[in-house]
Amino acid sequence: MSTTDTDTGTGRTKDPATAKRHIGVSADGELGEAGSQLSTAPVDTAVPGSFGGSRAPGALGWLTWTGREVVGWARWFWRQLTSMRVALILLFLLSLGAIPGSLIPQSGTDAQKVADFKDAHSILGSVYDKLGLFHVYSSVWFSAIYILLFVSLIGCIVPRTWQFVGQLRGRPPGAPKRLNRLPAYATWRTGAEPEQVREAALKILKQRRFRAHIEKDAVAAEKGYLRETGNLLFHIALIVMLVAFAWGQLFKSEGNKLIVEGDGFSNTISQYDDFKSGNLFSTDDLTPFSFNLKKFTGTYERTGPNKGTPRTYQADITYSIGAYGKEKKTTVKVNEPLKIGDSKVYLTAHGYAPVVTVRDGKGNVVYHDAVPMLPLDPNVTSQGAIKVMDGYKNAQGTSEQLGFSAFFVPTFAGAGKGDMFSQFPALDFPVLALSGFHGSLGVDAGIPQNVYQLDTSKMKQFKDAKGNIVKARLLPGETMKLPNGAGSITFDKGIKEWANFQVTQQPGSDWALVGAFTAIFGLAGSLFIQRRRVWVRAATRADGVTVVEMAGLGRSESAKLPEELGDLAALVHEQAPTKPDTDEVAVDTDPDAEPSVPAAEGAEK
């Protein structure tokens, strides 16, 4: 085979090296640009980064590029989080997230309502439960918004605070070269020396509470630092409120106790009818105290459009602090709680507790107590249950339990005058309606029951010989006989009253109130105080006359800035009045005429 080749159409021969270059192989045997396309080996390429620079080949290049990307994205996220736009969005989301907490029953407030809602709406209740809408304020998503807003506010405050401190420590900036380009401007010519004008302007500006100093041929002054102070106070107050609310939710406690006249209460969890607290609350945080309800007083409007409205609504109690505290007397009224340490005792409700006596067939007293009735309407129409759980035996000597469904009205309209509803909240004509049951109340099973309702699933209603249900309306002192020698129940003449007290312990509420007022004042300051700068330049021109220039610049547009500059110019003008132009002064032949005083050029906007 020949080692040379002939170029078709030219007759020229090619050597092997030239032939290799034509097919992409270099003379020294290495692959050229064309030959490299035949290789399947991976090629290291430069990967551009999101925050500048490209990834270099190798592990070190990858580590450097990755670190730069992580730091860059972290800085970007921090800048976004600490921006005012994101802070407002988070604040809006926080308020939006609080809406379901107000509309949907919350397990921390009323677990029974939550259970009823789930029973009534099986699918929707399951969805709400998964989204945490039954415990909004302790849910993950609400806590995330809360914490992000907290961090955002801190990220806004810290750099702005340092910046503001630097501004307070510094001096107002010097005058711009061309003051006549500023939005408020005034100028005039005077015969006073420039130094005199500057000293007079410096004194006047300081009297007007400007921070001022002389720099070169001008006086630089600034005012309105309270605007930024108000802005910082507003943000700090928001943080204080967030911390106070979080602290209050974590360490709060709230319990209710119904107390009949003559009974007492000790501030322990076992004494409460219902009790709920924050996640970090401990029983050791309860304030040690006790009190007794001596008398409840309630008076009502007798006539007029406000008939039945309470006039007097108060509870006379005696209380003591600690195990061996001295007993004290006080009166608790609506919106006038008793304050003991960190706890407050509020009067929240009132009702009646008729005193009843139950006897067995042999006349033995098996039950004697005041039975609280729950009000159903403003006129204190009340409903309740009387439960005799121990000590009763029927006519055959068998132990049974008794239950009476009770309906009480403090002012009865009278028989044959409609249904049994109270006509007035005071004890004008009290009547107690009863119907009895016997059997098992179901309390021995250990399942909690509502003390104001009867479980009649395992009970039989008392009936007379004709099969009619035994029931009666009793006046104070009257007795209802039970059939077949089963005993009796008497409505005693003594009718007691009860009061419901709510004992709350809400730490951080005072700080939240202080934060709210501070936020209002800070917001008002940031909205109504204007940050502005004023410069007064006095320089001698070529003709030997001093030219005074005054200019003002506000942080935001305001119509008051030209007015304020005009007032300042008038004060400076009194110290350095306008020098009249001799070419325009006319000879006055009247010696008694007052000399004319040329006016300064006013503030120009």
Side-chain angles (χ1 to χ4, degrees), residues 36-212:
S36 65
Q37 299 176 2
L38 301 176
S39 174
T40 59
V43 179
D44 288 335
T45 58
V47 179
S50 302
F51 301 94
S54 299
R55 188 177 72 185
L60 182 60
W62 182 85
L63 288 175
T64 304
W65 180 84
T66 303
R68 184 169 60 247
E69 290 292 299
V70 170
V71 173
W73 281 111
R75 288 177 177 176
W76 178 86
F77 178 79
W78 178 254
R79 286 195 298 269
Q80 299 301 315
L81 181 61
T82 56
S83 65
M84 183 61 67
R85 181 183 67 257
V86 173
L88 291 175
I89 292 174
L90 290 173
L91 191 60
F92 173 74
L93 291 177
L94 192 70
S95 59
L96 197 65
I99 294 177
S102 303
L103 300 179
I104 300 174
Q106 299 296 293
S107 57
T109 304
D110 197 332
Q112 186 60 42
K113 284 187 177 180
V114 174
D116 294 341
F117 186 91
K118 289 181 178 179
D119 293 338
H121 309 85
S122 57
I123 298 178
L124 191 61
S126 177
V127 173
Y128 283 0
D129 197 14
K130 291 180 179 179
L131 295 177
L133 297 182
F134 291 124
H135 49 92
V136 169
Y137 304 110
S138 59
S139 62
V140 175
W141 57 268
F142 191 86
S143 300
I145 297 173
Y146 200 92
I147 294 173
L148 285 175
L149 178 59
F150 187 80
V151 174
S152 178
L153 289 174
I154 293 179
C156 289
I157 288 175
V158 172
R160 295 184 68 168
T161 301
W162 285 116
Q163 183 181 5
F164 183 57
V165 170
Q167 293 176 358
L168 291 178
R169 295 179 61 183
R171 288 185 168 189
K177 185 176 181 180
R178 297 183 179 181
L179 293 177
N180 57 351
R181 293 188 175 183
L182 298 182
Y185 176 75
T187 183
W188 70 92
R189 296 156 60 89
T190 182
E193 296 295 329
E195 292 79 5
Q196 297 176 356
V197 177
R198 288 194 288 267
E199 291 294 336
L202 180 64
K203 182 178 180 181
I204 292 171
L205 289 170
K206 287 185 175 181
Q207 289 176 350
R208 290 296 187 96
R209 297 188 301 277
F210 278 84
R211 294 179 65 229

Side-chain angles (χ1 to χ4, degrees), residues 351-432:
Y352 294 102
V355 180
V356 298
T357 301
V358 180
R359 293 178 173 86
D360 60 14
K362 296 181 180 180
N364 299 319
V365 176
V366 294
Y367 183 88
H368 176 76
D369 203 355
V371 182
M373 300 286 175
L374 294 183
L376 301 176
D377 58 31
N379 286 328
V380 202
T381 302
S382 305
Q383 186 177 16
I386 302 169
K387 299 180 181 182
V388 182
M389 293 179 285
D390 299 309
Y392 173 77
K393 293 184 179 181
N394 58 21
Q396 291 76 31
T398 305
S399 296
E400 280 190 320
Q401 293 176 336
L402 298 180
F404 296 89
S405 177
F407 206 76
F408 176 79
V409 290
T411 302
F412 185 46
K417 296 183 179 180
D419 295 331
M420 188 174 172
F421 286 97
S422 179
Q423 306 300 309
F424 196 74
L427 288 172
D428 293 344
F429 187 11
V431 173
L432 179 64

Side-chain angles (χ1 to χ4, degrees), residues 200-271:
L202 180 64
K203 182 178 180 181
I204 292 171
L205 289 170
K206 287 185 175 181
Q207 289 176 350
R208 290 296 187 96
R209 297 188 301 277
F210 278 84
R211 294 179 65 229
H213 70 102
I214 298 176
E215 184 174 346
K216 298 181 180 179
D217 61 345
V219 177
E222 190 169 5
K223 190 178 183 181
Y225 289 92
L226 287 178
R227 177 187 179 94
E228 188 64 25
T229 303
N231 198 358
L232 291 175
L233 281 178
F234 173 74
H235 287 83
I236 293 174
L238 286 182
I239 292 180
V240 171
M241 291 173 62
L242 290 176
V243 172
F245 287 144
W247 187 269
Q249 289 295 319
L250 291 173
F251 292 94
K252 73 174 183 179
S253 66
E254 181 181 302
N256 291 280
K257 179 64 178 178
L258 186 150
I259 304 176
V260 180
E261 288 177 330
D263 293 343
F265 167 77
S266 179
N267 192 26
T268 58
I269 292 182
S270 60
Q271 290 276 306

Side-chain angles (χ1 to χ4, degrees), residues 288-301:
F289 69 88
S290 61
F291 66 88
N292 293 307
L293 176 61
K294 296 300 181 181
K295 182 177 177 57
F296 181 89
T297 303
T299 60
Y300 309 89
E301 291 286 348

